[in-house]
Amino acid sequence: MARKPFIAGNWKMNMTVATGTQLIKDLAPLVADANCDVALCVPAILIPAMTEAAKGTNIAIGAENVHWAASGAYTGEVSTAMLKDYGVQYVIIGHSERRQYFGETDETVNKRVLTALAAGLTPIMCIGETLSQREAGETEAVITKQLDIDLQGVEDVTKIVIAYEPVWAIGTGRTATDEQAEETIAFIRSRIAEMYCPKCAEKIIIQYGGSMNAGNCKGLMAQPDIDGGLIGGASLKLDFAKIVNWDK
Ligand code: 13P
């Protein structure tokens, strides 16, 4: 069974109501005939306005994080119910910037993933190694540990999208080569087969993320195990449409 490609943007802490609305209006006709699923994950405060802007288009609006508790004293956090109020389906969890700057650990990633799944949301769960880990030959060990902890208690892994984002490739312009990305994503798929079942591994969507752009998307997307991309910088401009239309 062929997997449907999935290209998602991650706006990170960028855009405003005005600039975001304009971008979505400009992107909508350009991505209307996409052969893949399309989403833009946006800052929580922009979700209402971007949901409105994307109405009637094939662009799904997603979130960049979600808390594990249903509600309560968690200043600054957002709950699954709040996201569902706006029809959000996708939520990025465990992005390396959250791990690096905001104390996110594999344990908290796991809690967020379980809560998102229980609420019927689709986590875009981010994993990946740092440069020093890659250079020390630890990539597979790091990925294995992340998958082991992040997925603890997850029954149906196919309800998750995994984004493989090597930390050294994020925002650096230093994309993984097609071969590096394919090799690690194939490894992730093989781990999913071992942890779950071969059929689950066949079915799960695994994206690549890290300096993916209009110029390098074709080569990455041609790799057999790469099902899509999680796009940072290039999702803030019309180039995003070129990535979505990589096959045209
Ligand atoms: P860049 O595409 O800007 O490297 O960011 C990738 C990323 O972190 C997507 O989540």
Side-chain angles (χ1 to χ4, degrees), residues 159-216:
K159 293 209 154 57
I160 293 180
V161 172
I162 294 178
Y164 167 59
E165 300 207 312
V167 179
W168 47 273
I170 296 177
T172 58
R174 182 177 167 184
T175 325
T177 63
D178 299 345
E179 293 72 27
Q180 282 172 326
E182 167 61 20
E183 185 186 27
T184 310
I185 289 180
F187 173 74
I188 294 169
R189 205 176 292 287
S190 72
R191 278 298 304 157
I192 295 296
E194 284 165 17
M195 293 168 73
Y196 291 89
C197 65
K199 265 207 177 92
C200 307
E202 273 294 297
K203 210 167 152 195
I204 189 168
I205 300 290
I206 310 180
Q207 299 174 319
Y208 167 78
S211 297
M212 190 162 164
N213 58 39
N216 59 28

Side-chain angles (χ1 to χ4, degrees), residues 39-107:
L40 286 172
C41 298
V42 308
I45 196 166
L46 295 184
I47 288 172
M50 297 312 112
T51 302
E52 193 56 37
K55 226 176 227 161
T57 77
N58 58 332
I59 303 172
I61 299 300
E64 297 179 11
N65 193 18
V66 70
H67 199 262
W68 55 81
S71 64
Y74 300 101
T75 302
E77 293 285 326
V78 168
S79 73
T80 54
M82 294 170 192
L83 297 182
K84 293 184 76 174
D85 267 351
Y86 290 95
V88 165
Q89 188 195 338
Y90 299 105
V91 55
I92 296 173
I93 294 177
H95 192 279
S96 66
E97 287 149 16
R98 302 244 22 118
R99 294 178 189 254
Q100 192 177 350
Y101 305 131
F102 302 102
E104 189 83 70
T105 63
D106 286 314
E107 286 72 21

Side-chain angles (χ1 to χ4, degrees), residues 101-176:
Y101 305 131
F102 302 102
E104 189 83 70
T105 63
D106 286 314
E107 286 72 21
T108 55
V109 169
N110 176 243
K111 292 209 263 184
R112 294 183 207 273
V113 165
L114 291 174
T115 299
L117 285 174
L121 298 174
T122 304
I124 300 177
M125 192 186 88
C126 303
I127 57 174
E129 81 287 0
T130 62
L131 185 59
S132 58
Q133 289 166 334
R134 174 161 283 263
E135 285 174 345
E138 294 167 1
T139 300
E140 294 191 351
V142 169
I143 299 277
T144 298
K145 176 166 176 267
Q146 288 174 336
L147 288 174
D148 280 352
I149 303 175
D150 296 358
L151 292 175
Q152 231 162 63
V154 170
E155 280 170 19
D156 186 355
V157 77
T158 65
K159 293 209 154 57
I160 293 180
V161 172
I162 294 178
Y164 167 59
E165 300 207 312
V167 179
W168 47 273
I170 296 177
T172 58
R174 182 177 167 184
T175 325

